[in-house]
Amino acid sequence: MSEKDTNPKDLIGSDKLPLHLWPATATALGCVALLNGALKYGRANWRVAGVRASIYVDAAKRHLDAWFEGEELDPDDGVPHLAAALACIAIVVDARAAGKLNDDR
C-alpha cells in the first residue's frame, strides 16, 4: 500500500479562507469591546436599527488617535482604545454585509 502525498481534506481545506492568519489577540480585544457594547446597547444592535458609517468611522478614528497620543484605555469605560477601534470597524463591516449600513461617506 502506498502513502498519499497529502490528506484529501488538505486539498479541500487549502481552497478556503485562511482564518489562522487573523491574530487571536485581535479577536480577543475586539470581543472585549463588543461585549462592552452589548452590555450597553444590546448584542448586535446595529443589525436591528442599522448604523451610519460616519458615526463608526469617526469613533474608530477617535480611539486610534487617543491610543496614538499615549492613552491606552478609554477613560469612560476602561476598554482599550485599540479594542474599541476594532469593534467599530467590525460593526461597519457586519452592518454592510447585513444590509444595515447607511453609507453616508
Side-chain angles (χ1 to χ4, degrees), residues 1 7 12 16-17 19 24 32 41 46 48 54 61 64 69 72 74 81 84-86 92 95 102-103:
M1 179 181 255
N7 182 311
I12 295 167
K16 297 191 178 189
L17 191 62
L19 296 175
V32 165
Y41 312 112
W46 61 90
V48 178
S54 62
K61 287 180 177 185
L64 287 172
E69 292 297 322
E72 291 295 324
D74 188 329
H81 283 297
L86 280 168
V92 170
N102 175 356
D103 188 347

Side-chain angles (χ1 to χ4, degrees), residues 21-74:
L21 296 176
W22 185 259
T25 50
T27 298
L29 272 182
C31 287
V32 165
L34 287 170
L35 174 60
N36 183 56
L39 294 172
K40 286 182 187 177
Y41 312 112
R43 186 173 183 261
N45 64 83
W46 61 90
R47 292 184 187 162
V48 178
V51 295
R52 288 185 8 224
S54 62
I55 298 297
Y56 286 85
V57 168
D58 287 349
K61 287 180 177 185
R62 284 191 297 273
H63 286 295
L64 287 172
D65 288 346
W67 175 81
F68 197 78
E69 292 297 322
E71 186 176 80
E72 291 295 324
L73 305 177
D74 188 329

